[in-house]
Amino acid sequence: MDVMSWIKLNVDTTHNKIDVIVKFIFSRNINETFSFGLGNMLEVYDISCNQFPCTWETKDDLELPFRLGLQQISVDLPMECNVIELRYSGKVNGWSTNIGPDCVMLNYYSAWYPIFLTKTRIKYNVEIDGLHGFQLVNSTYDEDKRV
């Protein structure tokens, strides 16, 4: 099964935190429990399945190669769905990830984005807002979207 992921990351350099909206679009409907890993410094505050609210359970101390300090989020899906949306926020640091007023470094290995716990192939599209006035390295700036 293929999954397209759209991640909208709002960086708050004043408070050294991020607010994130993630949308997973699956190539077919799913109806099993959906689980993912996320940095334990982040707090999930909303999950929906085809725009219907979901309940979830959080367990600490998930261990994956090359990633430290993870929590496992297991979502109870209320129905078959093909679109899951997550919202979470918090501070991130370490593993070449740092947010400050003069420099922002975001590294995939810091687990600020959800990590699937299956062998599902995921295509990521990440948009970052809040970096106006910063020089971008290894990225592009979309004038129309301002991200």
Side-chain angles (χ1 to χ4, degrees):
M1 168 175 42
D2 290 331
V3 180
M4 181 61 191
S5 172
W6 174 81
I7 301 175
K8 173 74 178 220
L9 181 72
N10 186 2
V11 178
D12 180 346
T13 57
T14 303
H15 299 100
N16 301 336
K17 66 179 259 183
I18 58 173
D19 289 306
V20 184
I21 300 171
V22 180
K23 188 178 285 188
F24 291 111
I25 303 170
F26 294 83
S27 59
R28 62 173 172 80
N29 281 345
I30 60 171
N31 60 4
E32 64 268 4
T33 300
F34 173 70
S35 294
F36 61 92
L38 190 64
N40 62 10
M41 64 293 210
L42 298 168
E43 182 177 348
V44 175
Y45 59 90
D46 187 47
I47 302 178
S48 64
C49 164
N50 290 355
Q51 300 183 339
F52 289 94
C54 297
T55 59
W56 65 90
E57 180 181 317
T58 303
K59 293 181 184 173
D60 293 326
D61 300 327
L62 174 64
E63 293 185 22
L64 293 177
F66 304 110
R67 290 171 177 90
L68 299 174
L70 293 177
Q71 58 186 319
Q72 179 175 334
I73 313 292
S74 297
V75 183
D76 294 323
L77 301 176
M79 65 189 74
E80 286 192 350
C81 68
N82 68 325
V83 177
I84 295 177
E85 192 168 316
L86 317 170
R87 294 175 185 258
Y88 53 90
S89 64
K91 294 187 176 191
V92 293
N93 58 30
W95 285 71
S96 298
T97 297
N98 188 30
I99 298 174
D102 300 323
C103 180
V104 174
M105 296 184 301
L106 298 169
N107 182 336
Y108 279 129
Y109 287 112
S110 68
W112 54 262
Y113 67 99
I115 302 165
F116 269 57
L117 300 179
T118 64
K119 296 190 186 292
T120 303
R121 290 182 305 176
I122 307 170
K123 298 175 186 171
Y124 287 101
N125 179 21
V126 180
E127 295 180 354
I128 303 173
D129 194 9
L131 299 180
H132 310 292
F134 282 82
Q135 178 181 356
L136 301 177
V137 179
N138 292 334
S139 190
T140 59
Y141 183 72
D142 186 319
E143 288 286 343
D144 296 332
K145 293 182 181 179
R146 297 186 52 85
V147 293

